[in-house]
Amino acid sequence: MSYIVVCPLENIADVAEQHQCKRMISLMSPGHELERPAQISPECHLHVGMNDINFDTAGLISPDEAHVASVIEFAQNWDQKNPLLIHCWFGVSRSPAAALLSSMAVKPEQNDHELANRLREASPSATPNRRIIEIGDKLLDRGGKLSQAVNSIGRGREASQGNPFILPLD
């Protein structure tokens, strides 16, 4: 069974080892350096530099079409032999949004609402970044269905940090 595993930054080494991940997407603030787990080679690591915001703010980098397109393209090139690891600082907003888009990129026949409900079941605290979702909805030609699905699950429960979770592709 193919799946995506999502976690906060502090768990990437343990999660990568436990799930035998070979590919990783990092969604971190611009300029933030991190130590990549040893089993993930540089060419199998996408580092996307953006802040976790939903609107343009002076001094910060908001998610844009190029950021989201790079996530989608990276996911589409994933062979699904090993789980895809996606993380951000806390594992609550940017990485769950990227997990939804990655899942939809590799399995576009999925029902948007069922996918969003699987996310909520896997992570009660996930609150996908709305701007990332809206841009991805457009790039994946979902016609607003993915955005509506994410809106329907609402904000996740309050958490200072998310717990690692698995988002199955099926």
Side-chain angles (χ1 to χ4, degrees), residues 1-168:
M1 173 174 89
S2 295
Y3 61 92
I4 296 168
V5 61
V6 177
C7 71
L9 174 63
E10 74 175 30
N11 298 109
I12 62 173
D14 292 338
V15 168
E17 184 177 329
Q18 177 185 355
H19 294 274
Q20 299 178 3
C21 299
K22 302 291 183 197
R23 292 176 69 81
M24 181 172 79
I25 299 175
S26 301
L27 301 125
M28 301 296 294
S29 300
H32 184 92
E33 296 299 321
L34 61 106
E35 189 173 327
R36 189 179 57 257
Q39 70 267 32
I40 298 176
S41 62
E43 62 274 3
C44 292
H45 179 211
L46 174 65
H47 190 276
V48 184
M50 64 174 144
N51 294 101
D52 186 17
I53 56 177
N54 290 309
F55 48 86
D56 293 331
T57 302
L60 299 176
I61 305 297
S62 58
D64 64 23
E65 197 168 296
H67 295 130
V68 176
S70 69
V71 169
I72 291 169
E73 181 180 352
F74 190 82
Q76 288 171 331
N77 290 316
W78 168 39
D79 65 12
Q80 300 175 43
K81 291 179 181 175
N82 297 83
L84 174 62
L85 172 58
I86 303 178
H87 80 91
C88 59
W89 190 261
F90 293 120
V92 174
S93 182
R94 287 172 287 186
S95 54
L100 288 172
L101 298 181
S102 296
S103 180
M104 196 58 76
V106 298
K107 299 268 186 177
E109 69 279 2
Q110 294 179 84
N111 178 284
D112 301 76
H113 285 278
E114 289 174 8
L115 175 59
N117 288 330
R118 283 199 320 269
L119 174 74
R120 175 56 66 233
E121 185 177 314
S123 177
S125 63
T127 303
N129 179 290
R130 296 206 185 272
R131 185 171 180 136
I132 294 171
I133 293 297
E134 289 170 3
I135 295 168
D137 188 305
K138 177 184 166 199
L139 292 175
L140 291 167
D141 199 27
R142 303 307 298 176
K145 292 182 291 188
L146 186 58
S147 294
Q148 291 170 356
V150 170
N151 288 339
S152 76
I153 64 169
R155 180 175 173 76
R157 77 168 202 274
E158 289 297 318
S160 59
Q161 180 168 293
N163 293 316
F165 69 90
I166 291 170
L167 182 63

